[in-house]
Amino acid sequence: MNFFRLTADLMHLLSIFVLLLKIQKTRSCSGISFKTQLLYAVVFVTRYLDLLKWISLYNTLMKIFFIASSIYILYLMKIKFRATYDPSQDTFRIEFLLGACLLLALVFNYTFTFIEVLWTFSIYLEAVAILPQLFMLSRTGEAETITTHYLFALGAYRGLYLLNWIWRFYTEHHIDWIVWVAGAIQTALYSDFFYIYYKKVLHGQKFELP
Amino acid sequence: KDKTKDHDEL
């Protein structure tokens, strides 16, 4: 564990709490892509099939939290606050993402086993899981400030993981190409968002696309 | 090194 990785994980936790706060406070999931949240649930379930493998208490508790919270968010969006979800805004085709990631995982993996291919699939899928949300944002052209805080925390978590990998490369000679490439793509997807967040939200303005 | 043994990141 190092500073960057711990901070990254905490930003990831924070992003989920901000999302839960947004839904509970406004009693609405408007502006949130159900498809992105569904993809995250798939990511956590397929990645943490090794839940029973002991790495550390931290590792196990975080895995349980990520699986449980992602499913709880699906429950909030699909059942509790269903009326506030507008599917006509959430039109990104996730079938292509799922198919492409599965295909890539079958071809580019470390070991061709069931658990390992699904782990790889989850890494690729996480890289693109934010696309339906960003697509929704670009369609509506604006977002509630708290929703942008959620996206910022999520993007910061990914950016900090890049720093963690650089750190681990120099201190432990840790190399993980699959995670690096997927992580770099994932972080790059946030660049436009970061720019507008910095220009508008941090200066007290509403998040609106130019 | 076998990468499959050290998926220690979340």
PDB file of all heavy atoms in Angstrom, chain A residues 32-65:
ATOM      1  N   ILE A  32     -28.274  10.644 -13.532  1.00  0.00           N
ATOM      2  CA  ILE A  32     -27.381   9.505 -13.320  1.00  0.00           C
ATOM      3  C   ILE A  32     -27.737   8.417 -14.333  1.00  0.00           C
ATOM      4  O   ILE A  32     -28.908   8.072 -14.504  1.00  0.00           O
ATOM      5  CB  ILE A  32     -27.529   8.948 -11.884  1.00  0.00           C
ATOM      6  CG1 ILE A  32     -27.291  10.042 -10.843  1.00  0.00           C
ATOM      7  CG2 ILE A  32     -26.580   7.765 -11.666  1.00  0.00           C
ATOM      8  CD1 ILE A  32     -25.900  10.621 -10.846  1.00  0.00           C
ATOM      9  N   SER A  33     -26.715   7.908 -15.000  1.00  0.00           N
ATOM     10  CA  SER A  33     -26.939   6.849 -15.986  1.00  0.00           C
ATOM     11  C   SER A  33     -27.063   5.489 -15.304  1.00  0.00           C
ATOM     12  O   SER A  33     -26.125   5.014 -14.672  1.00  0.00           O
ATOM     13  CB  SER A  33     -25.788   6.810 -16.990  1.00  0.00           C
ATOM     14  OG  SER A  33     -25.828   5.595 -17.711  1.00  0.00           O
ATOM     15  N   PHE A  34     -28.231   4.886 -15.447  1.00  0.00           N
ATOM     16  CA  PHE A  34     -28.424   3.539 -14.899  1.00  0.00           C
ATOM     17  C   PHE A  34     -27.481   2.551 -15.581  1.00  0.00           C
ATOM     18  O   PHE A  34     -26.964   1.627 -14.946  1.00  0.00           O
ATOM     19  CB  PHE A  34     -29.877   3.096 -15.094  1.00  0.00           C
ATOM     20  CG  PHE A  34     -30.141   1.687 -14.617  1.00  0.00           C
ATOM     21  CD1 PHE A  34     -30.302   1.421 -13.264  1.00  0.00           C
ATOM     22  CD2 PHE A  34     -30.213   0.630 -15.509  1.00  0.00           C
ATOM     23  CE1 PHE A  34     -30.519   0.124 -12.808  1.00  0.00           C
ATOM     24  CE2 PHE A  34     -30.429  -0.671 -15.065  1.00  0.00           C
ATOM     25  CZ  PHE A  34     -30.586  -0.921 -13.714  1.00  0.00           C
ATOM     26  N   LYS A  35     -27.245   2.782 -16.854  1.00  0.00           N
ATOM     27  CA  LYS A  35     -26.384   1.856 -17.601  1.00  0.00           C
ATOM     28  C   LYS A  35     -24.958   1.850 -17.051  1.00  0.00           C
ATOM     29  O   LYS A  35     -24.340   0.798 -16.916  1.00  0.00           O
ATOM     30  CB  LYS A  35     -26.398   2.201 -19.091  1.00  0.00           C
ATOM     31  CG  LYS A  35     -27.742   1.854 -19.717  1.00  0.00           C
ATOM     32  CD  LYS A  35     -27.795   2.178 -21.180  1.00  0.00           C
ATOM     33  CE  LYS A  35     -29.121   1.711 -21.773  1.00  0.00           C
ATOM     34  NZ  LYS A  35     -29.249   2.086 -23.176  1.00  0.00           N
ATOM     35  N   THR A  36     -24.435   3.032 -16.758  1.00  0.00           N
ATOM     36  CA  THR A  36     -23.103   3.088 -16.145  1.00  0.00           C
ATOM     37  C   THR A  36     -23.099   2.361 -14.807  1.00  0.00           C
ATOM     38  O   THR A  36     -22.191   1.579 -14.511  1.00  0.00           O
ATOM     39  CB  THR A  36     -22.660   4.563 -15.970  1.00  0.00           C
ATOM     40  OG1 THR A  36     -22.201   5.049 -17.240  1.00  0.00           O
ATOM     41  CG2 THR A  36     -21.536   4.703 -14.962  1.00  0.00           C
ATOM     42  N   GLN A  37     -24.129   2.592 -13.994  1.00  0.00           N
ATOM     43  CA  GLN A  37     -24.181   1.935 -12.677  1.00  0.00           C
ATOM     44  C   GLN A  37     -24.315   0.426 -12.830  1.00  0.00           C
ATOM     45  O   GLN A  37     -23.730  -0.342 -12.056  1.00  0.00           O
ATOM     46  CB  GLN A  37     -25.327   2.512 -11.841  1.00  0.00           C
ATOM     47  CG  GLN A  37     -25.193   4.009 -11.546  1.00  0.00           C
ATOM     48  CD  GLN A  37     -23.849   4.366 -10.908  1.00  0.00           C
ATOM     49  OE1 GLN A  37     -23.339   3.639 -10.058  1.00  0.00           O
ATOM     50  NE2 GLN A  37     -23.262   5.491 -11.314  1.00  0.00           N
ATOM     51  N   LEU A  38     -25.062   0.002 -13.837  1.00  0.00           N
ATOM     52  CA  LEU A  38     -25.194  -1.436 -14.100  1.00  0.00           C
ATOM     53  C   LEU A  38     -23.838  -2.032 -14.483  1.00  0.00           C
ATOM     54  O   LEU A  38     -23.449  -3.101 -14.000  1.00  0.00           O
ATOM     55  CB  LEU A  38     -26.215  -1.662 -15.228  1.00  0.00           C
ATOM     56  CG  LEU A  38     -26.419  -3.103 -15.670  1.00  0.00           C
ATOM     57  CD1 LEU A  38     -27.023  -3.944 -14.550  1.00  0.00           C
ATOM     58  CD2 LEU A  38     -27.327  -3.176 -16.905  1.00  0.00           C
ATOM     59  N   LEU A  39     -23.099  -1.304 -15.333  1.00  0.00           N
ATOM     60  CA  LEU A  39     -21.780  -1.780 -15.751  1.00  0.00           C
ATOM     61  C   LEU A  39     -20.829  -1.877 -14.557  1.00  0.00           C
ATOM     62  O   LEU A  39     -20.072  -2.840 -14.437  1.00  0.00           O
ATOM     63  CB  LEU A  39     -21.184  -0.876 -16.842  1.00  0.00           C
ATOM     64  CG  LEU A  39     -21.902  -0.901 -18.200  1.00  0.00           C
ATOM     65  CD1 LEU A  39     -21.206   0.024 -19.193  1.00  0.00           C
ATOM     66  CD2 LEU A  39     -21.968  -2.313 -18.765  1.00  0.00           C
ATOM     67  N   TYR A  40     -20.898  -0.908 -13.647  1.00  0.00           N
ATOM     68  CA  TYR A  40     -20.040  -0.974 -12.460  1.00  0.00           C
ATOM     69  C   TYR A  40     -20.374  -2.203 -11.612  1.00  0.00           C
ATOM     70  O   TYR A  40     -19.477  -2.864 -11.077  1.00  0.00           O
ATOM     71  CB  TYR A  40     -20.125   0.305 -11.623  1.00  0.00           C
ATOM     72  CG  TYR A  40     -19.301   1.446 -12.198  1.00  0.00           C
ATOM     73  CD1 TYR A  40     -19.800   2.729 -12.289  1.00  0.00           C
ATOM     74  CD2 TYR A  40     -18.001   1.210 -12.661  1.00  0.00           C
ATOM     75  CE1 TYR A  40     -19.047   3.767 -12.826  1.00  0.00           C
ATOM     76  CE2 TYR A  40     -17.242   2.235 -13.200  1.00  0.00           C
ATOM     77  CZ  TYR A  40     -17.773   3.507 -13.288  1.00  0.00           C
ATOM     78  OH  TYR A  40     -17.020   4.518 -13.817  1.00  0.00           O
ATOM     79  N   ALA A  41     -21.662  -2.496 -11.479  1.00  0.00           N
ATOM     80  CA  ALA A  41     -22.048  -3.691 -10.712  1.00  0.00           C
ATOM     81  C   ALA A  41     -21.474  -4.944 -11.381  1.00  0.00           C
ATOM     82  O   ALA A  41     -20.930  -5.828 -10.707  1.00  0.00           O
ATOM     83  CB  ALA A  41     -23.568  -3.773 -10.593  1.00  0.00           C
ATOM     84  N   VAL A  42     -21.548  -4.999 -12.707  1.00  0.00           N
ATOM     85  CA  VAL A  42     -20.974  -6.140 -13.440  1.00  0.00           C
ATOM     86  C   VAL A  42     -19.454  -6.184 -13.220  1.00  0.00           C
ATOM     87  O   VAL A  42     -18.875  -7.254 -13.011  1.00  0.00           O
ATOM     88  CB  VAL A  42     -21.316  -6.039 -14.952  1.00  0.00           C
ATOM     89  CG1 VAL A  42     -20.575  -7.119 -15.745  1.00  0.00           C
ATOM     90  CG2 VAL A  42     -22.821  -6.155 -15.168  1.00  0.00           C
ATOM     91  N   VAL A  43     -18.822  -5.012 -13.252  1.00  0.00           N
ATOM     92  CA  VAL A  43     -17.371  -4.929 -13.036  1.00  0.00           C
ATOM     93  C   VAL A  43     -16.997  -5.536 -11.678  1.00  0.00           C
ATOM     94  O   VAL A  43     -16.120  -6.396 -11.587  1.00  0.00           O
ATOM     95  CB  VAL A  43     -16.879  -3.462 -13.112  1.00  0.00           C
ATOM     96  CG1 VAL A  43     -15.492  -3.304 -12.497  1.00  0.00           C
ATOM     97  CG2 VAL A  43     -16.879  -2.975 -14.554  1.00  0.00           C
ATOM     98  N   PHE A  44     -17.691  -5.106 -10.628  1.00  0.00           N
ATOM     99  CA  PHE A  44     -17.313  -5.569  -9.280  1.00  0.00           C
ATOM    100  C   PHE A  44     -17.594  -7.053  -9.098  1.00  0.00           C
ATOM    101  O   PHE A  44     -16.791  -7.778  -8.522  1.00  0.00           O
ATOM    102  CB  PHE A  44     -18.033  -4.753  -8.207  1.00  0.00           C
ATOM    103  CG  PHE A  44     -17.592  -3.313  -8.167  1.00  0.00           C
ATOM    104  CD1 PHE A  44     -18.513  -2.277  -8.124  1.00  0.00           C
ATOM    105  CD2 PHE A  44     -16.238  -3.002  -8.185  1.00  0.00           C
ATOM    106  CE1 PHE A  44     -18.097  -0.956  -8.091  1.00  0.00           C
ATOM    107  CE2 PHE A  44     -15.814  -1.677  -8.155  1.00  0.00           C
ATOM    108  CZ  PHE A  44     -16.754  -0.658  -8.109  1.00  0.00           C
ATOM    109  N   VAL A  45     -18.729  -7.509  -9.604  1.00  0.00           N
ATOM    110  CA  VAL A  45     -19.075  -8.926  -9.419  1.00  0.00           C
ATOM    111  C   VAL A  45     -18.096  -9.826 -10.180  1.00  0.00           C
ATOM    112  O   VAL A  45     -17.648 -10.845  -9.659  1.00  0.00           O
ATOM    113  CB  VAL A  45     -20.538  -9.183  -9.846  1.00  0.00           C
ATOM    114  CG1 VAL A  45     -20.832 -10.675  -9.904  1.00  0.00           C
ATOM    115  CG2 VAL A  45     -21.502  -8.497  -8.883  1.00  0.00           C
ATOM    116  N   THR A  46     -17.725  -9.444 -11.407  1.00  0.00           N
ATOM    117  CA  THR A  46     -16.810 -10.296 -12.181  1.00  0.00           C
ATOM    118  C   THR A  46     -15.366 -10.182 -11.682  1.00  0.00           C
ATOM    119  O   THR A  46     -14.603 -11.131 -11.778  1.00  0.00           O
ATOM    120  CB  THR A  46     -16.856  -9.962 -13.690  1.00  0.00           C
ATOM    121  OG1 THR A  46     -16.660  -8.561 -13.862  1.00  0.00           O
ATOM    122  CG2 THR A  46     -18.167 -10.378 -14.310  1.00  0.00           C
ATOM    123  N   ARG A  47     -14.987  -9.035 -11.132  1.00  0.00           N
ATOM    124  CA  ARG A  47     -13.611  -8.891 -10.661  1.00  0.00           C
ATOM    125  C   ARG A  47     -13.387  -9.578  -9.327  1.00  0.00           C
ATOM    126  O   ARG A  47     -12.331 -10.130  -9.070  1.00  0.00           O
ATOM    127  CB  ARG A  47     -13.221  -7.416 -10.531  1.00  0.00           C
ATOM    128  CG  ARG A  47     -11.745  -7.255 -10.167  1.00  0.00           C
ATOM    129  CD  ARG A  47     -11.282  -5.837 -10.228  1.00  0.00           C
ATOM    130  NE  ARG A  47     -11.623  -5.219 -11.499  1.00  0.00           N
ATOM    131  CZ  ARG A  47     -11.557  -3.909 -11.721  1.00  0.00           C
ATOM    132  NH1 ARG A  47     -11.152  -3.102 -10.777  1.00  0.00           N
ATOM    133  NH2 ARG A  47     -11.902  -3.417 -12.887  1.00  0.00           N
ATOM    134  N   TYR A  48     -14.397  -9.534  -8.457  1.00  0.00           N
ATOM    135  CA  TYR A  48     -14.189 -10.027  -7.103  1.00  0.00           C
ATOM    136  C   TYR A  48     -14.711 -11.444  -6.903  1.00  0.00           C
ATOM    137  O   TYR A  48     -15.167 -11.804  -5.820  1.00  0.00           O
ATOM    138  CB  TYR A  48     -14.799  -9.052  -6.093  1.00  0.00           C
ATOM    139  CG  TYR A  48     -14.189  -7.661  -6.179  1.00  0.00           C
ATOM    140  CD1 TYR A  48     -14.925  -6.531  -5.864  1.00  0.00           C
ATOM    141  CD2 TYR A  48     -12.861  -7.484  -6.598  1.00  0.00           C
ATOM    142  CE1 TYR A  48     -14.367  -5.271  -5.949  1.00  0.00           C
ATOM    143  CE2 TYR A  48     -12.289  -6.225  -6.689  1.00  0.00           C
ATOM    144  CZ  TYR A  48     -13.048  -5.119  -6.370  1.00  0.00           C
ATOM    145  OH  TYR A  48     -12.500  -3.863  -6.449  1.00  0.00           O
ATOM    146  N   LEU A  49     -14.605 -12.257  -7.946  1.00  0.00           N
ATOM    147  CA  LEU A  49     -14.932 -13.678  -7.798  1.00  0.00           C
ATOM    148  C   LEU A  49     -13.946 -14.338  -6.840  1.00  0.00           C
ATOM    149  O   LEU A  49     -14.196 -15.412  -6.316  1.00  0.00           O
ATOM    150  CB  LEU A  49     -14.867 -14.368  -9.167  1.00  0.00           C
ATOM    151  CG  LEU A  49     -15.993 -14.000 -10.141  1.00  0.00           C
ATOM    152  CD1 LEU A  49     -15.741 -14.628 -11.499  1.00  0.00           C
ATOM    153  CD2 LEU A  49     -17.345 -14.434  -9.604  1.00  0.00           C
ATOM    154  N   ASP A  50     -12.807 -13.644  -6.612  1.00  0.00           N
ATOM    155  CA  ASP A  50     -11.807 -14.163  -5.671  1.00  0.00           C
ATOM    156  C   ASP A  50     -12.033 -13.598  -4.268  1.00  0.00           C
ATOM    157  O   ASP A  50     -11.107 -13.517  -3.472  1.00  0.00           O
ATOM    158  CB  ASP A  50     -10.398 -13.803  -6.155  1.00  0.00           C
ATOM    159  CG  ASP A  50     -10.153 -12.299  -6.131  1.00  0.00           C
ATOM    160  OD1 ASP A  50     -11.126 -11.530  -5.969  1.00  0.00           O
ATOM    161  OD2 ASP A  50      -8.992 -11.877  -6.271  1.00  0.00           O
ATOM    162  N   LEU A  51     -13.275 -13.226  -3.990  1.00  0.00           N
ATOM    163  CA  LEU A  51     -13.614 -12.593  -2.706  1.00  0.00           C
ATOM    164  C   LEU A  51     -13.121 -13.411  -1.516  1.00  0.00           C
ATOM    165  O   LEU A  51     -12.718 -12.852  -0.492  1.00  0.00           O
ATOM    166  CB  LEU A  51     -15.143 -12.414  -2.627  1.00  0.00           C
ATOM    167  CG  LEU A  51     -15.688 -11.645  -1.430  1.00  0.00           C
ATOM    168  CD1 LEU A  51     -15.193 -10.211  -1.438  1.00  0.00           C
ATOM    169  CD2 LEU A  51     -17.207 -11.661  -1.420  1.00  0.00           C
ATOM    170  N   LEU A  52     -13.147 -14.726  -1.637  1.00  0.00           N
ATOM    171  CA  LEU A  52     -12.783 -15.570  -0.501  1.00  0.00           C
ATOM    172  C   LEU A  52     -11.275 -15.764  -0.375  1.00  0.00           C
ATOM    173  O   LEU A  52     -10.794 -16.307   0.612  1.00  0.00           O
ATOM    174  CB  LEU A  52     -13.495 -16.926  -0.594  1.00  0.00           C
ATOM    175  CG  LEU A  52     -15.027 -16.820  -0.518  1.00  0.00           C
ATOM    176  CD1 LEU A  52     -15.674 -18.175  -0.668  1.00  0.00           C
ATOM    177  CD2 LEU A  52     -15.469 -16.161   0.791  1.00  0.00           C
ATOM    178  N   LYS A  53     -10.536 -15.294  -1.418  1.00  0.00           N
ATOM    179  CA  LYS A  53      -9.085 -15.385  -1.328  1.00  0.00           C
ATOM    180  C   LYS A  53      -8.578 -14.268  -0.423  1.00  0.00           C
ATOM    181  O   LYS A  53      -8.856 -13.109  -0.659  1.00  0.00           O
ATOM    182  CB  LYS A  53      -8.464 -15.253  -2.726  1.00  0.00           C
ATOM    183  CG  LYS A  53      -6.994 -15.667  -2.776  1.00  0.00           C
ATOM    184  CD  LYS A  53      -6.434 -15.535  -4.172  1.00  0.00           C
ATOM    185  CE  LYS A  53      -5.632 -14.255  -4.299  1.00  0.00           C
ATOM    186  NZ  LYS A  53      -4.958 -14.107  -5.580  1.00  0.00           N
ATOM    187  N   TRP A  54      -7.836 -14.640   0.617  1.00  0.00           N
ATOM    188  CA  TRP A  54      -7.425 -13.646   1.613  1.00  0.00           C
ATOM    189  C   TRP A  54      -6.189 -12.871   1.167  1.00  0.00           C
ATOM    190  O   TRP A  54      -5.144 -13.446   0.912  1.00  0.00           O
ATOM    191  CB  TRP A  54      -7.150 -14.332   2.947  1.00  0.00           C
ATOM    192  CG  TRP A  54      -6.877 -13.336   4.031  1.00  0.00           C
ATOM    193  CD1 TRP A  54      -5.675 -12.959   4.521  1.00  0.00           C
ATOM    194  CD2 TRP A  54      -7.855 -12.565   4.737  1.00  0.00           C
ATOM    195  NE1 TRP A  54      -5.832 -11.997   5.493  1.00  0.00           N
ATOM    196  CE2 TRP A  54      -7.149 -11.729   5.651  1.00  0.00           C
ATOM    197  CE3 TRP A  54      -9.260 -12.475   4.690  1.00  0.00           C
ATOM    198  CZ2 TRP A  54      -7.806 -10.845   6.504  1.00  0.00           C
ATOM    199  CZ3 TRP A  54      -9.889 -11.598   5.537  1.00  0.00           C
ATOM    200  CH2 TRP A  54      -9.178 -10.797   6.426  1.00  0.00           C
ATOM    201  N   ILE A  55      -6.335 -11.546   1.074  1.00  0.00           N
ATOM    202  CA  ILE A  55      -5.181 -10.684   0.826  1.00  0.00           C
ATOM    203  C   ILE A  55      -4.948  -9.833   2.070  1.00  0.00           C
ATOM    204  O   ILE A  55      -3.859  -9.806   2.618  1.00  0.00           O
ATOM    205  CB  ILE A  55      -5.377  -9.831  -0.443  1.00  0.00           C
ATOM    206  CG1 ILE A  55      -5.395 -10.755  -1.675  1.00  0.00           C
ATOM    207  CG2 ILE A  55      -4.272  -8.789  -0.572  1.00  0.00           C
ATOM    208  CD1 ILE A  55      -5.765 -10.090  -2.976  1.00  0.00           C
ATOM    209  N   SER A  56      -6.007  -9.165   2.512  1.00  0.00           N
ATOM    210  CA  SER A  56      -5.961  -8.410   3.767  1.00  0.00           C
ATOM    211  C   SER A  56      -7.393  -8.071   4.165  1.00  0.00           C
ATOM    212  O   SER A  56      -8.308  -8.182   3.333  1.00  0.00           O
ATOM    213  CB  SER A  56      -5.153  -7.114   3.593  1.00  0.00           C
ATOM    214  OG  SER A  56      -5.814  -6.272   2.661  1.00  0.00           O
ATOM    215  N   LEU A  57      -7.566  -7.651   5.404  1.00  0.00           N
ATOM    216  CA  LEU A  57      -8.897  -7.267   5.869  1.00  0.00           C
ATOM    217  C   LEU A  57      -9.395  -6.076   5.041  1.00  0.00           C
ATOM    218  O   LEU A  57     -10.550  -6.020   4.632  1.00  0.00           O
ATOM    219  CB  LEU A  57      -8.853  -6.913   7.360  1.00  0.00           C
ATOM    220  CG  LEU A  57     -10.198  -6.514   7.980  1.00  0.00           C
ATOM    221  CD1 LEU A  57     -11.175  -7.684   7.956  1.00  0.00           C
ATOM    222  CD2 LEU A  57     -10.021  -6.016   9.410  1.00  0.00           C
ATOM    223  N   TYR A  58      -8.490  -5.135   4.790  1.00  0.00           N
ATOM    224  CA  TYR A  58      -8.794  -3.958   3.970  1.00  0.00           C
ATOM    225  C   TYR A  58      -9.336  -4.384   2.614  1.00  0.00           C
ATOM    226  O   TYR A  58     -10.386  -3.920   2.166  1.00  0.00           O
ATOM    227  CB  TYR A  58      -7.502  -3.145   3.796  1.00  0.00           C
ATOM    228  CG  TYR A  58      -7.580  -1.995   2.818  1.00  0.00           C
ATOM    229  CD1 TYR A  58      -8.061  -0.753   3.211  1.00  0.00           C
ATOM    230  CD2 TYR A  58      -7.146  -2.157   1.508  1.00  0.00           C
ATOM    231  CE1 TYR A  58      -8.115   0.306   2.320  1.00  0.00           C
ATOM    232  CE2 TYR A  58      -7.198  -1.100   0.608  1.00  0.00           C
ATOM    233  CZ  TYR A  58      -7.685   0.119   1.010  1.00  0.00           C
ATOM    234  OH  TYR A  58      -7.739   1.152   0.115  1.00  0.00           O
ATOM    235  N   ASN A  59      -8.610  -5.279   1.969  1.00  0.00           N
ATOM    236  CA  ASN A  59      -8.976  -5.753   0.636  1.00  0.00           C
ATOM    237  C   ASN A  59     -10.366  -6.396   0.642  1.00  0.00           C
ATOM    238  O   ASN A  59     -11.212  -6.081  -0.204  1.00  0.00           O
ATOM    239  CB  ASN A  59      -7.900  -6.744   0.174  1.00  0.00           C
ATOM    240  CG  ASN A  59      -8.085  -7.164  -1.260  1.00  0.00           C
ATOM    241  OD1 ASN A  59      -8.850  -8.084  -1.525  1.00  0.00           O
ATOM    242  ND2 ASN A  59      -7.392  -6.516  -2.186  1.00  0.00           N
ATOM    243  N   THR A  60     -10.599  -7.279   1.607  1.00  0.00           N
ATOM    244  CA  THR A  60     -11.885  -7.994   1.662  1.00  0.00           C
ATOM    245  C   THR A  60     -13.045  -7.044   1.954  1.00  0.00           C
ATOM    246  O   THR A  60     -14.090  -7.108   1.291  1.00  0.00           O
ATOM    247  CB  THR A  60     -11.824  -9.102   2.732  1.00  0.00           C
ATOM    248  OG1 THR A  60     -10.714  -9.953   2.437  1.00  0.00           O
ATOM    249  CG2 THR A  60     -13.106  -9.929   2.742  1.00  0.00           C
ATOM    250  N   LEU A  61     -12.842  -6.140   2.924  1.00  0.00           N
ATOM    251  CA  LEU A  61     -13.920  -5.212   3.284  1.00  0.00           C
ATOM    252  C   LEU A  61     -14.261  -4.288   2.122  1.00  0.00           C
ATOM    253  O   LEU A  61     -15.436  -4.014   1.852  1.00  0.00           O
ATOM    254  CB  LEU A  61     -13.521  -4.378   4.512  1.00  0.00           C
ATOM    255  CG  LEU A  61     -13.475  -5.126   5.844  1.00  0.00           C
ATOM    256  CD1 LEU A  61     -13.043  -4.179   6.970  1.00  0.00           C
ATOM    257  CD2 LEU A  61     -14.827  -5.747   6.169  1.00  0.00           C
ATOM    258  N   MET A  62     -13.230  -3.811   1.426  1.00  0.00           N
ATOM    259  CA  MET A  62     -13.468  -2.925   0.283  1.00  0.00           C
ATOM    260  C   MET A  62     -14.234  -3.668  -0.815  1.00  0.00           C
ATOM    261  O   MET A  62     -15.165  -3.117  -1.408  1.00  0.00           O
ATOM    262  CB  MET A  62     -12.145  -2.394  -0.276  1.00  0.00           C
ATOM    263  CG  MET A  62     -11.432  -1.433   0.641  1.00  0.00           C
ATOM    264  SD  MET A  62     -12.264   0.150   0.815  1.00  0.00           S
ATOM    265  CE  MET A  62     -11.228   1.188  -0.193  1.00  0.00           C
ATOM    266  N   LYS A  63     -13.842  -4.897  -1.092  1.00  0.00           N
ATOM    267  CA  LYS A  63     -14.533  -5.671  -2.124  1.00  0.00           C
ATOM    268  C   LYS A  63     -16.008  -5.846  -1.775  1.00  0.00           C
ATOM    269  O   LYS A  63     -16.884  -5.653  -2.632  1.00  0.00           O
ATOM    270  CB  LYS A  63     -13.868  -7.041  -2.283  1.00  0.00           C
ATOM    271  CG  LYS A  63     -12.545  -6.995  -3.019  1.00  0.00           C
ATOM    272  CD  LYS A  63     -11.884  -8.360  -3.013  1.00  0.00           C
ATOM    273  CE  LYS A  63     -10.628  -8.353  -3.872  1.00  0.00           C
ATOM    274  NZ  LYS A  63      -9.860  -9.605  -3.746  1.00  0.00           N
ATOM    275  N   ILE A  64     -16.267  -6.196  -0.511  1.00  0.00           N
ATOM    276  CA  ILE A  64     -17.662  -6.384  -0.084  1.00  0.00           C
ATOM    277  C   ILE A  64     -18.429  -5.069  -0.242  1.00  0.00           C
ATOM    278  O   ILE A  64     -19.550  -5.037  -0.744  1.00  0.00           O
ATOM    279  CB  ILE A  64     -17.729  -6.900   1.371  1.00  0.00           C
ATOM    280  CG1 ILE A  64     -17.164  -8.330   1.445  1.00  0.00           C
ATOM    281  CG2 ILE A  64     -19.157  -6.863   1.908  1.00  0.00           C
ATOM    282  CD1 ILE A  64     -16.984  -8.865   2.856  1.00  0.00           C
ATOM    283  N   PHE A  65     -17.783  -3.972   0.167  1.00  0.00           N
ATOM    284  CA  PHE A  65     -18.457  -2.666   0.064  1.00  0.00           C
ATOM    285  C   PHE A  65     -18.774  -2.320  -1.395  1.00  0.00           C
ATOM    286  O   PHE A  65     -19.877  -1.858  -1.708  1.00  0.00           O
ATOM    287  CB  PHE A  65     -17.592  -1.555   0.677  1.00  0.00           C
ATOM    288  CG  PHE A  65     -18.208  -0.198   0.507  1.00  0.00           C
ATOM    289  CD1 PHE A  65     -19.220   0.230   1.362  1.00  0.00           C
ATOM    290  CD2 PHE A  65     -17.826   0.636  -0.544  1.00  0.00           C
ATOM    291  CE1 PHE A  65     -19.822   1.460   1.176  1.00  0.00           C
ATOM    292  CE2 PHE A  65     -18.425   1.875  -0.732  1.00  0.00           C
ATOM    293  CZ  PHE A  65     -19.421   2.288   0.132  1.00  0.00           C
TER     294      PHE A  65
END
